[in-house]
Amino acid sequence: MKVLAQALLGEGGLLGSLPRDLAAALLMFAVGGIVVFGFVLLVAGVTSWVERRVWARIQSRVGPNRVGPQGVLQWLADGVKNLLKEDVVPAAADRFLFLLAPYVVVAGFTASFVAIPFAASFIVADLDIGILYITAVTSLVVAGILMAGWASNNKWSLLGGMRSAAQIVSYEVPAALSIFPVVLMAGTLSMQGIIAGQGAAPWNWYLFNNPFSFLAFFTFFIAALAEGNRTPFDLPEAETELVAGYCTEYSGMRALLFYLAEWGNLYVIGALVTTLFLGGWQVPRITENALLLSLLQFLVFFAKSYFFVFVAMWIRATLPRIRVDQLMVVCWKYLVPIAFFNVAGTALWLALVGLPGQSALASGARWVMTGIGFLLLVVFARRVVYHIRRARPELYFSPVI
């Protein structure tokens, strides 16, 4: 992105003749449009189809399979359908806030893509406080959801909005605390700096650095799922209790924007996990071609991130929704103390043992944690293969419902 900026803004560049501030604003607007419309919307749309197909496979039923080969164009059909639906605003609603809320939600999650490092040279802005920026802008989502629930003038929507405020604000605490161990190890808040402190090999990832970072990984992922309103933590939109929660009164494209943010937020969660714990875009330098290397880094980063999107889909298709009191108990009685324990443990570990390479104990612990992670992955893979072999593909791939 720096090379692109220099080429466009430098002397003789396409925008070089314009005032620098105006040219920079136009460049940021163009790059933002490319990221949002060329990547975010595409990923969110395809994810909506993939998720329904994954649910169908897990639950031994047929998912969307009519529009396009195996229903692959279903997400486009859904988008067109919602664009053509009537945009209804309830008579008793607060019209301004009601219309504004979906855009606040979408802005909250799309703004996070500014600091996500897709590759070594592909990041909109490598901020010195990148991880802090992402945790801040994603908090806008709770404001939009609460705004939607209040403005709808509907008791179920209001309850959904209040649940969302309590849930997201609460789970931001263990999620933020689970980032601190990585920041302590990396010594920076920059997303690219965090990745630079790791390596391409799994044993060089922060996930296996020490026992506390290993535990912080699971704490962060669980808290991120809850913060993203994903099952089993989807209490703000609990259909069996609140009709559809905060988005009950929404129709057409405005209703779709809420789900667009949810599906897109899945990738943001995966990207954060990949950056913090799994080495990000790090790959062996197998070529000196900068373009090919950047493409390989992007593909590796995308594959790692989207793996956790699949995990979130599997969890949603498997686990039942918990009660709202259980939701808060999990956060404040379990995840928050565990997150504090991880921060303190990591600080003591770095002070007494150090990073791998600084002492034999640190290097040995890294290999032990890598072995434990490998065994867990093998057990997980065996269970997946077990269920795939006993599935009914003739039902899943049936041409008709």
Side-chain angles (χ1 to χ4, degrees):
M1 298 305 294
K2 292 181 179 178
V3 175
L4 177 62
Q6 292 174 356
L8 294 176
L9 299 179
E11 186 176 352
L14 183 63
L15 303 177
S17 60
L18 298 175
R20 189 165 184 83
D21 291 342
L22 176 59
L26 291 175
L27 178 60
M28 287 189 290
F29 183 80
V31 172
I34 293 172
V35 172
V36 172
F37 295 102
F39 181 79
V40 177
L41 294 182
L42 181 62
V43 168
V46 173
T47 299
S48 71
W49 169 75
V50 172
E51 185 165 36
R52 284 179 284 177
R53 294 291 285 182
V54 170
W55 295 347
R57 184 67 181 268
I58 291 175
Q59 298 168 353
S60 296
R61 58 181 175 81
V62 179
N65 67 340
R66 296 297 188 91
V67 187
Q70 297 301 323
V72 71
L73 300 179
Q74 184 64 52
W75 63 280
L76 285 174
D78 291 340
V80 173
K81 177 186 69 175
N82 280 277
L83 280 172
L84 298 177
K85 279 189 173 181
E86 183 181 1
D87 184 15
V88 178
V89 179
D94 185 322
R95 185 178 181 84
F96 176 74
L97 294 181
F98 184 88
L99 297 178
L100 180 63
Y103 301 107
V104 174
V105 172
V106 171
F109 103 91
T110 53
S112 63
F113 282 84
V114 169
I116 291 179
F118 298 99
S121 58
F122 187 14
I123 181 172
V124 177
D126 183 15
L127 304 176
D128 292 336
I129 54 169
I131 188 63
L132 182 62
Y133 163 81
I134 291 178
T135 57
V137 297
T138 51
S139 299
L140 286 173
V141 174
V142 66
I145 292 177
L146 186 59
M147 189 185 300
W150 172 265
S152 295
N153 197 21
N154 176 303
K155 64 176 70 175
W156 310 120
S157 299
L158 179 60
L159 285 173
M162 296 303 295
R163 278 186 179 183
S164 176
Q167 176 176 327
I168 297 179
V169 171
S170 296
Y171 277 89
E172 279 181 346
V173 176
L177 288 173
S178 298
I179 294 173
F180 288 168
V182 174
V183 173
L184 290 173
M185 291 183 288
T188 179
L189 292 168
S190 166
M191 298 288 279
Q192 293 286 41
I194 291 172
I195 294 177
Q198 304 175 75
W203 49 85
N204 291 324
W205 297 346
Y206 285 142
L207 171 62
F208 304 120
N209 192 284
N210 60 69
F212 305 103
S213 63
F214 189 75
L215 188 57
F217 161 78
F218 293 99
T219 306
F220 177 80
F221 186 63
I222 294 172
L225 287 180
E227 195 175 347
N229 294 332
R230 293 291 299 181
T231 304
F233 307 106
D234 60 336
L235 274 300
E237 55 184 83
E239 297 91 344
T240 53
E241 306 169 47
L242 303 181
V243 187
Y246 58 88
C247 57
T248 297
E249 299 293 349
Y250 284 86
S251 62
M253 198 59 192
R254 295 187 195 278
L256 186 62
L257 289 177
F258 287 108
Y259 295 101
L260 173 69
E262 179 180 326
W263 289 316
N265 191 52
L266 282 179
Y267 183 81
V268 174
I269 293 172
L272 288 176
V273 171
T274 299
T275 299
L276 294 172
F277 298 99
L278 302 183
W281 43 257
Q282 291 277 14
V283 296
R285 195 173 186 85
I286 59 177
T287 177
E288 295 301 322
N289 187 303
L291 181 60
L292 290 178
L293 186 60
S294 295
L295 178 60
L296 180 60
Q297 290 172 345
F298 174 81
L299 293 176
V300 168
F301 185 86
F302 183 84
K304 289 179 181 178
S305 303
Y306 215 78
F307 171 76
F308 289 97
V309 175
F310 274 107
V311 173
M313 294 175 184
W314 295 336
I315 291 173
R316 180 166 187 171
T318 306
L319 299 180
R321 182 183 295 122
I322 63 177
R323 298 196 314 264
V324 66
D325 60 310
Q326 294 172 330
L327 174 80
M328 304 309 290
V329 165
V330 168
C331 177
W332 292 107
K333 289 189 176 181
Y334 295 96
L335 292 185
V336 170
I338 291 173
F340 273 114
F341 173 76
N342 292 335
V343 175
T346 301
L348 288 174
W349 181 274
L350 294 176
L352 301 177
V353 180
L355 294 169
Q358 296 178 349
S359 70
L361 180 57
S363 299
R366 177 182 66 181
W367 287 108
V368 170
M369 299 311 302
T370 303
I372 293 174
F374 178 75
L375 290 176
L376 291 176
L377 184 61
V378 169
V379 172
F380 177 77
R382 284 173 59 88
R383 295 304 301 174
V384 172
V385 171
Y386 173 86
H387 289 289
I388 288 177
R389 287 178 174 176
R390 285 156 180 78
R392 296 173 58 191
E394 72 281 358
L395 173 63
Y396 183 71
F397 291 106
S398 173
V400 294
I401 298 178

